[in-house]
Amino acid sequence: MSVKEIKQDQFDTAIKDHISIVDFYASWCGPCRMLAPVIEDVSKDFKNIDFFKVNIDDNEQLATKYKIKSIPTVVLFVKNEPINKFMGFMTRDAICQWIKKNTASLS
């Protein structure tokens, strides 16, 4: 699976009824640019999870709604509800462990 860019008007529909991971980022953010290929790679290992990215500069209302204060911020959603998040860069292994830990009870 690949990471799909979504906008404000697509957001609720995209994450509805799914387990979703959303990478809130900005194009000018160095750590965001470092994290993007890692998230893309991780998405290939989790076929049951939808991966999205949201540019906070283009979607300020979403950033405000989900209290995104620092970027990158990656949020795990289950059926439109934010369950957990992490901020900043993480390694591939750390992200995989974070996903497994936070979705273990959902399987």
Side-chain angles (χ1 to χ4, degrees), residues 47-105:
K47 305 294 185 203
N48 60 329
I49 297 175
D50 293 329
F51 286 78
F52 301 104
K53 59 184 179 177
V54 172
N55 185 321
I56 63 160
D57 290 332
D58 297 336
N59 301 279
E60 292 178 22
Q61 289 178 330
L62 284 175
T64 300
K65 179 178 180 178
Y66 294 107
K67 299 175 175 61
I68 306 301
K69 305 277 189 220
S70 177
I71 51 172
T73 295
V74 177
V75 182
L76 169 68
F77 289 88
V78 176
K79 298 180 181 176
N80 282 22
E81 292 298 320
I83 302 301
N84 204 333
K85 67 181 174 182
F86 71 83
M87 293 170 274
F89 180 82
M90 283 178 51
T91 65
R92 183 187 197 292
D93 288 344
I95 295 169
C96 289
Q97 288 176 357
W98 178 80
I99 293 170
K100 288 174 185 173
K101 175 184 170 191
N102 286 287
T103 60
S105 65

Side-chain angles (χ1 to χ4, degrees), residues 4-58:
K4 180 182 177 190
E5 177 118 16
I6 55 174
K7 300 190 181 306
Q8 171 84 35
D9 60 343
Q10 303 165 307
F11 191 83
D12 289 337
T13 302
I15 67 170
K16 184 180 179 184
D17 299 327
H18 302 282
I19 300 172
S20 304
I21 291 180
V22 181
D23 175 14
F24 290 90
Y25 78 100
S27 60
W28 49 263
C29 166
C32 298
R33 289 193 303 266
M34 290 172 47
L35 183 63
V38 177
I39 295 287
E40 186 74 39
D41 189 40
V42 167
S43 74
K44 296 172 188 169
D45 290 351
F46 294 91
K47 305 294 185 203
N48 60 329
I49 297 175
D50 293 329
F51 286 78
F52 301 104
K53 59 184 179 177
V54 172
N55 185 321
I56 63 160
D57 290 332
D58 297 336

